[in-house]
């Protein structure tokens, strides 16, 4: 019985289940795959999150530095015609508007031009917008009236012309704005056409995608987009433009992350600054701040409804809807934006219809980003690199205010093109190149610079880098050195212009010649310089010493190594045009060294002044000796090698300068100044072949044509305290009476005036004219 019970119980005892090893392994694999996928996903999301935060919270954009010309200052009596002033306004992208409804507009009526200037932050002050009226006459500006306060203005400073930019590798440009600076209707236009649910979705709007698809089907074309503003920002800010599923996945994930990390207002502000809205030559126009100026010449705050709609229309396709190239498409898209705004209730139907009736009114295309004057900008960048890193210059949004005068620069470029073409008609004068530097005589500020014949960004900057023998341009400094020893040399000291042989130290004999291959015997010092006699110059230079003359150049700003050879005295020394300009700037500055300046100030993007370049002077050579040399340089222009200038200038217009010609006529130089400008001109060939031009027949012709157009002040020399004037017999060098025929009025350093008297001459001089009395009319 017991056995039966045991047997029955065993029937109900559950059998042990044997697990199949394959099924357990499969679940483990699935679990591992799930965990691995989750890890990868979360890791990738972390990677995307890191990238989103790194760029959004860091430096979002590289803002190129903007370089500005010297601002034009207007005042009654300024030599500027109404036509030239209108050219200036157009170069500043002002637009004609009879209502003067916004900043950057003007209106012509008769001999008057009314202007609403732009607000602008200079390096030294914030200048508000003003409403002014300029009256013109034949002489230029007759008066300036403040229309708001009904009063005459003494001076008005216009906003400066942007002459270029310094870009990073990717040439993008933008003007950053705050969200509160964006007009409400501009944002409403974006919402109406790009993202109606912006403040409701979390980065992706399925509702918006569906609505856009339905609207596009009904319209038979693309009228609405399915991507949210957040997605568009992600696509432009983080991703490439490739069309792949993977990019769309990244776009969606990063949009969600962006919405999770940042507020709607932060996202919208970034979008307003990032969106691509056009192309300015080689530079991309990003953001509504820059687009407003690029298309309409106005700031965002001054835009009208139809203009804001035009900018919104560009979001869908800046090239396709370019209002300059495709005005009909742009008009249709703009009107569609206005209709959508009316549908959403942002504007009334009447407002939409009135705006649709308006023309596009875009300004003429002007390449704001183009470096208009590459030679000068090269100079500016080299000066900046001494104090700023390349990265700072191309990405920090610096504003660089320079000394360039665009009127002088444009005149220079036109003159160079015209005169070189004329000079090339002469024998041997082919393939000419040039370099020109123009400065303000009283400050050393560089007003214009030509780096070559062509205004090209590429190539050799001859004004800064062409190291050429300067020929007779060295002579004034040989005489300046000698005149610093008044007990040995004065303006009337007689010197020998006769043959001389000098042992050069290597067994070679150097025997210089005059340009005319003649000897002129005993001549006065001033005549030796004004006629550019080589033999007399060498004798003087060897007497005072080559080393002392080189020291004079060092004191005047030359740092380049110079060989102490006797041939240095006739210009064998090689300098660049900018170095020559520094030398003559010190001469024109009455012996005060003024470092040449191309920059006035550097201002940070936030308006803080980072660097100023103040006017500095230092007396480096004797003022009396400098005065005497400058007096002789006037004689150069009146009677010597520069006299052809007076075929263009009035006889009473005082000029000072010196010609320079090198061996075999390979280099033609001229350096000279008027009362307001100093200009140095070099003409030659890049292959160093002869050009067949002297300083008089070549460089002086360019100098004269340029200075005749830009200069309005003759030279006026003021004798320093150590100068005494005396009437002198030009034949004997002895004191004379002013009533004596041919007597001349010469300057002397105190203590060096002749002490012996000469009898009055019985006949007037046939060689020396009484030119100097014209230069000192107030002394009699």
């Amino acid at each position: 019985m017991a056995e039966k019970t045991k047997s029955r119980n065993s029937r109900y005892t559950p059998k042990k289940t044997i697990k199949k090893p394959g099924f357990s392994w499969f679940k483990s694999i699935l679990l591992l795959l799930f965990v691995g996928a989750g890890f990868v996903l979360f890791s990738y999301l972390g990677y995307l999150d890191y990238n989103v935060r790194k760029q959004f919270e860091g430096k979002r954009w590289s803002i190129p530095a903007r370089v500005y010309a010297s601002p034009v200052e207007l005042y009654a009596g300024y030599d500027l015609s109404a036509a030239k002033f209108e050219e200036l306004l157009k170069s500043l992208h002002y637009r004609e508007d009879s209502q003067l409804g916004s900043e950057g507009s003007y209106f012509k009526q008769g001999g008057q031009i009314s202007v609403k200037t732009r607000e602008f932050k200079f390096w030294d002050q914030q200048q508000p917008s003003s409403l002014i009226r300029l009256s013109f006459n034949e002489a230029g500006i007759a008066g300036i009236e403040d229309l708001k306060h009904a009063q005459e203005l003494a001076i008005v400073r216009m906003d400066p012309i942007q002459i270029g930019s310094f870009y990073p590798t990717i040439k993008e440009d933008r003007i950053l704005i705050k969200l509160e600076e964006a007009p409400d209707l501009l944002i409403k236009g974006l919402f109406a056409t790009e993202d109606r649910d912006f403040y409701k979705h979390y980065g992706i709007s399925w509702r918006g995608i569906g609505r856009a698809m339905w609207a596009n089907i009904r319209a038979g074309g693309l009228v609405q987009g399915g991507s949210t503003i957040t997605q568009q920002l992600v696509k432009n800010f983080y991703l490439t433009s490739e069309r792949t599923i993977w990019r769309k996945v990244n776009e969606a994930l990063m949009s969600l992350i962006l919405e999770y990390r940042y507020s709607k207002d932060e996202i919208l502000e970034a979008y307003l600054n990032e969106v691509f809205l056009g192309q300015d030559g080689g530079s991309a126009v990003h953001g509504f701040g820059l687009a407003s100026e690029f298309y309409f010449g106005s700031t965002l705050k001054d835009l009208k409804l139809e203009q804001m709609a035009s900018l919104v229309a560009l979001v869908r396709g800046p090239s396709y809807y370019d209002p300059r190239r495709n005005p009909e498409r742009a008009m249709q898209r703009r009107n569609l934006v206005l209709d959508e705004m009316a549908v959403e209730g942002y504007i009334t139907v009447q407002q939409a219809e009135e705006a649709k009736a308006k023309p596009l009114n875009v300004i003429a295309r002007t390449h704001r980003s183009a470096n208009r004057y590459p030679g000068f900008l090269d100079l500016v960048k080299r000066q900046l690199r001494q104090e700023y890193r390349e990265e700072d210059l191309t990405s920090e949004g610096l504003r660089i205010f320079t000394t360039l005068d665009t009127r002088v620069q444009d005149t220079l470029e036109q003159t160079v093109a015209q005169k070189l073409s004329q000079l090339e008609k002469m024998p041997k004068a082919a393939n000419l190149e040039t370099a020109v530097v123009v400065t303000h005589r009283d400050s050393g500020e560089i007003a214009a610079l030509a780096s070559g014949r062509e205004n090209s960004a590429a190539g050799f900057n001859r004004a800064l880098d062409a190291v050429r023998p300067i020929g007779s341009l060295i002579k004034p400094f040989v005489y300046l050195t000698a005149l610093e020893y008044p007990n040995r040399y004065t303006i009337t000291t007689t010197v020998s212009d006769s043959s001389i042989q000098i042992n050069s130290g290597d067994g070679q004999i150097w025997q210089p010649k005059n340009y005319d291959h003649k000897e002129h015997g005993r001549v006065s010092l001033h005549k030796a310089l004004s006629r550019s006699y080589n033999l007399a110059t060498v004798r003087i230079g060897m007497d005072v010493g080559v080393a002392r003359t080189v020291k004079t150049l060092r004191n005047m700003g030359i740092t380049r190594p110079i060989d102490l050879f006797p041939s240095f005295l006739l210009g064998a020394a090689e300098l660049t045009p900018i170095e020559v300009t520094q030398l003559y700037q010190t001469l024109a500055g009455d012996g005060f060294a003024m470092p040449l300046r191309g920059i006035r100030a550097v201002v940070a993007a936030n308006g803080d002044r980072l660097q100023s370049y103040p006017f500095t002077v230092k007396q480096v050579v004797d003022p009396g000796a400098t005065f005497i040399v400058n007096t002789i340089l006037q004689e150069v222009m009146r009677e010597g090698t520069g006299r052809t200038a007076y075929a263009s200038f009035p006889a009473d217009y005082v000029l000072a300068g010196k010609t320079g010609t090198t061996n075999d006529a390979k280099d033609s130089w001229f350096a000279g100044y008027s009362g307001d400008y100093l200009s140095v001109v070099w003409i030659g060939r890049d292959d160093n072949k002869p050009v067949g031009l002297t300083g008089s027949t070549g460089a002086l012709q360019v100098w004269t044509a340029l200075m005749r157009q830009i200069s309005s002040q003759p030279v006026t020399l003021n004798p320093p305290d150590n100068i005494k004037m005396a009437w002198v017999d030009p034949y004997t060098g002895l004191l004379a009476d002013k009533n004596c025929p041919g007597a001349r009025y010469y300057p002397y350093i105190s203590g060096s005036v002749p002490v012996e008297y000469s009898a009055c001459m019985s006949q007037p001089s046939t060689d020396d004219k009484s030119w100097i009395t014209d230069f000192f009319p107030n002394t009699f």
Side-chain angles (χ1 to χ4, degrees):
M1 186 69 181
E3 290 180 2
K4 290 182 178 180
T5 303
K6 183 177 179 180
S7 177
R8 187 172 59 247
N9 290 340
S10 65
R11 289 172 58 189
Y12 298 99
T13 301
K15 297 180 179 179
K16 293 182 178 180
T17 304
I18 301 175
K19 296 182 180 179
K20 297 180 179 181
F23 182 72
S24 175
W25 177 82
F26 181 71
K27 289 198 298 182
S28 298
I29 292 296
L30 285 178
L31 180 61
L32 287 173
L33 287 175
F34 179 77
V35 172
F39 176 78
V40 171
L41 176 61
F42 280 105
S43 297
Y44 188 66
L45 287 174
Y47 166 75
L48 292 179
D49 179 64
Y50 170 77
N51 283 332
V52 167
R53 287 186 293 110
K54 178 182 179 182
Q55 190 161 346
F56 205 82
E57 294 175 3
K59 182 179 168 183
R60 297 180 186 174
W61 299 285
S62 293
I63 309 297
R66 291 185 176 85
V67 187
Y68 296 96
S70 178
V72 175
E73 295 183 336
L74 308 172
Y75 52 87
Y78 184 54
D79 182 16
L80 184 70
S81 66
K84 288 293 184 181
F85 180 57
E86 187 174 11
E87 287 181 15
L88 171 64
L89 293 174
K90 289 180 178 179
S91 66
L92 288 167
H93 313 296
Y94 277 59
R95 66 194 178 284
E96 197 163 358
D97 177 9
S98 60
Q99 303 300 315
L100 298 179
S102 59
E103 296 179 12
S105 58
Y106 72 98
F107 175 61
K108 295 185 298 181
Q109 189 172 23
Q112 298 179 323
I113 298 180
S114 299
V115 184
K116 189 169 187 179
T117 66
R118 294 193 185 103
E119 179 183 11
F120 193 87
K121 185 173 181 59
F122 288 93
W123 65 94
D124 55 354
Q125 67 176 17
Q126 177 77 32
Q127 181 169 287
S129 172
S130 59
L131 196 62
I132 60 174
R133 177 184 293 139
L134 285 77
S135 301
F136 295 86
N137 56 27
E138 293 182 357
I141 298 177
I144 307 175
E145 180 184 359
D146 183 340
L147 296 179
K148 184 176 180 180
H149 300 99
Q151 62 183 17
E152 290 293 317
L153 295 175
I155 191 168
V156 171
R157 181 160 63 172
M158 299 295 294
D159 42 307
I161 296 174
Q162 182 179 339
I163 58 174
S165 301
F166 296 145
Y167 285 94
T169 304
I170 301 175
K171 294 190 68 175
E172 295 181 355
D173 202 358
R174 51 177 55 80
I175 295 176
L176 298 181
I177 62 169
K178 299 291 186 182
L179 181 59
E180 55 269 21
E181 295 172 346
D184 184 62
L185 286 178
L186 175 70
I187 295 174
K188 295 294 176 57
L190 285 171
F191 290 165
T193 56
E194 301 300 323
D195 194 349
R196 295 184 181 181
D197 302 320
F198 177 71
Y199 281 104
K200 298 177 182 177
H201 61 67
Y202 294 95
I204 303 173
S205 175
W206 300 109
R207 179 182 173 187
I209 293 173
R211 182 172 58 245
M213 291 178 63
W214 176 243
N216 293 337
I217 291 172
R218 284 193 307 167
L222 190 63
V223 296
Q224 287 188 22
S227 295
T228 64
I229 283 177
T230 309
Q231 287 176 278
Q232 292 180 43
L233 175 60
V234 166
K235 179 175 64 176
N236 293 325
F237 200 52
Y238 296 101
L239 304 174
T240 64
S241 58
E242 63 176 346
R243 294 177 176 271
T244 63
I245 295 177
W246 183 245
R247 190 193 65 78
K248 292 297 292 184
V249 170
N250 281 334
E251 179 185 303
L253 293 175
M254 295 175 83
S255 296
L256 294 171
I257 293 171
L258 200 62
E259 290 272 354
Y260 174 75
R261 289 288 186 185
Y262 305 102
S263 70
K264 289 286 188 181
D265 286 352
E266 289 178 294
I267 293 170
L268 182 58
E269 181 177 288
Y271 177 84
L272 293 172
N273 287 304
E274 172 60 26
V275 62
F276 171 60
L277 294 172
Q279 194 74 26
D280 182 12
S283 172
V285 176
H286 284 261
F288 287 96
L290 180 59
S292 174
E293 295 191 3
F294 179 62
Y295 290 106
F296 299 109
S298 298
T299 56
L300 275 175
K301 66 180 181 179
D302 288 326
L303 290 187
K304 299 174 183 177
L305 173 59
E306 66 273 11
Q307 294 172 323
M308 287 184 274
S310 293
L311 292 184
V312 172
L314 289 166
V315 173
R316 192 52 51 88
S319 179
Y320 190 78
Y321 294 111
D322 187 332
R324 295 189 180 101
R325 293 192 303 168
N326 305 306
E328 292 184 3
R329 290 180 195 163
M331 179 80 78
Q332 292 173 0
R333 181 66 189 174
R334 182 203 71 176
N335 292 347
L336 181 60
V337 171
L338 291 167
D339 288 337
E340 291 294 315
M341 293 177 70
V343 169
E344 291 298 307
Y346 296 138
I347 59 175
T348 65
V349 174
Q350 181 179 354
Q351 285 177 307
E353 293 301 321
E354 290 175 353
K356 287 161 65 175
K358 302 287 180 64
L360 292 174
N361 275 337
V362 293
I363 62 174
R365 180 183 293 277
T366 51
H367 293 308
R368 293 165 171 265
S369 62
N371 290 341
R372 297 171 56 183
Y373 308 111
F376 180 81
L377 287 169
D378 182 26
L379 166 72
V380 169
K381 198 164 189 178
R382 293 192 198 191
Q383 291 184 349
L384 289 170
R385 279 175 177 160
Q386 298 175 11
E387 296 168 346
Y388 296 92
R389 299 178 304 165
E390 182 73 16
E391 180 184 354
D392 297 330
L393 291 179
T394 59
S395 64
E396 295 295 336
L398 301 178
R399 294 192 303 151
I400 300 158
F401 295 94
T402 74
T403 60
L404 183 81
D405 185 327
T406 56
R407 291 182 65 198
V408 176
Q409 180 70 36
D410 291 340
T411 302
L412 169 60
E413 292 180 2
Q414 294 166 8
T415 302
V416 163
Q418 178 184 6
K419 296 305 291 185
L420 289 191
S421 296
Q422 293 177 2
L423 290 173
E424 284 185 331
K425 296 177 182 179
M426 300 176 67
K428 294 186 180 181
N431 302 317
L432 297 180
E433 270 298 348
T434 189
V436 185
V437 182
V438 183
T439 68
H440 291 282
R441 181 195 167 197
D442 60 351
S443 66
E445 290 186 341
I446 299 173
L449 182 147
S451 60
R453 183 171 189 164
E454 299 294 332
N455 182 22
S456 173
F460 185 48
N461 193 330
R462 296 165 187 82
L464 307 183
D465 300 322
V467 183
R468 309 287 294 218
I470 65 172
S472 295
L473 290 190
I474 195 66
K475 290 177 181 175
F477 307 98
V478 176
Y479 287 76
L480 175 64
T481 305
L483 287 165
E484 289 189 300
Y485 299 91
N487 59 326
R488 294 163 61 185
Y489 290 99
T490 70
I491 191 171
T492 52
T493 298
T494 57
V495 295
S496 175
D497 185 65
S498 58
S499 178
I500 182 173
Q501 294 183 350
I502 299 174
N503 190 331
S504 60
D506 56 358
Q508 300 292 321
I509 300 297
W510 181 53
Q511 188 171 359
K513 302 288 185 182
N514 279 326
Y515 183 76
D516 60 3
H517 297 281
K518 297 179 180 179
E519 299 178 22
H520 303 94
R522 302 293 295 180
V523 296
S524 60
L525 182 141
H526 66 85
K527 185 174 182 178
L529 177 54
S530 67
R531 272 61 167 184
S532 200
Y533 291 158
N534 291 340
L535 300 177
T537 302
V538 171
R539 287 183 176 277
I540 293 172
M542 293 303 295
D543 182 46
V544 298
V546 174
R548 285 181 177 175
T549 305
V550 171
K551 184 180 180 182
T552 298
L553 266 61
R554 293 272 180 257
N555 292 338
M556 299 177 80
I558 299 302
T559 59
R560 181 182 300 277
I562 297 176
D563 294 327
L564 300 180
F565 295 134
S567 57
F568 159 81
L569 299 170
L570 295 184
E574 297 182 337
L575 299 176
T576 64
I578 196 78
E579 290 173 324
V580 173
T581 306
Q582 182 64 74
L583 283 176
Y584 275 83
Q585 184 70 47
T586 306
L587 263 187
D590 301 322
F592 288 88
M594 292 176 276
L596 301 182
R597 295 186 300 151
I599 307 170
R600 284 183 175 166
V602 178
V603 178
N606 63 1
D608 292 341
R609 191 193 306 190
L610 300 179
Q611 189 79 24
S612 295
Y613 298 82
F615 173 63
T616 59
V617 295
K618 178 184 178 182
Q619 183 96 51
V620 293
V621 289
D622 182 81
T626 306
F627 180 84
I628 295 172
V629 169
N630 283 329
T631 300
I632 302 174
L633 292 183
Q634 294 175 0
E635 183 179 345
V636 171
M637 302 303 291
R638 182 68 61 178
E639 302 175 15
T641 56
R643 61 186 177 277
T644 59
Y646 282 101
S648 299
F649 280 92
D652 60 350
Y653 202 92
V654 184
L655 302 168
K658 183 70 185 75
T659 55
T661 309
T662 60
N663 290 340
D664 300 322
K666 293 180 179 179
D667 301 274
S668 171
W669 288 91
F670 189 82
Y673 61 90
S674 62
D676 43 8
Y677 290 105
L678 161 72
S679 298
V680 172
V681 180
W682 167 84
I683 295 177
R685 288 178 52 147
D686 287 341
D687 59 9
N688 204 30
K689 291 183 178 179
V691 294
L693 298 171
T694 65
S696 297
T697 60
L700 176 59
Q701 305 308 308
V702 175
W703 185 93
T704 302
L706 171 66
M707 295 291 278
R708 188 69 185 93
Q709 298 176 79
I710 66 174
S711 176
S712 60
Q713 299 175 20
V715 172
T716 301
L717 294 181
N718 297 312
D721 293 339
N722 66 337
I723 284 291
K724 302 298 180 183
M725 304 296 297
W727 287 98
V728 175
D729 178 350
Y731 289 111
T732 64
L734 302 178
L735 290 177
D737 186 88
K738 68 178 181 179
N739 296 317
C740 290
R744 305 183 72 165
Y745 203 53
Y746 285 126
Y748 293 86
I749 294 177
S750 297
S752 65
V753 178
V755 295
E756 296 183 12
Y757 284 84
S758 171
C760 282
M761 295 172 288
S762 57
Q763 71 283 345
S765 171
T766 57
D767 181 52
D768 291 327
K769 303 174 185 177
S770 299
W771 58 270
I772 201 167
T773 58
D774 296 333
F775 301 149
F776 303 101
N778 299 325
T779 337
F780 306 108

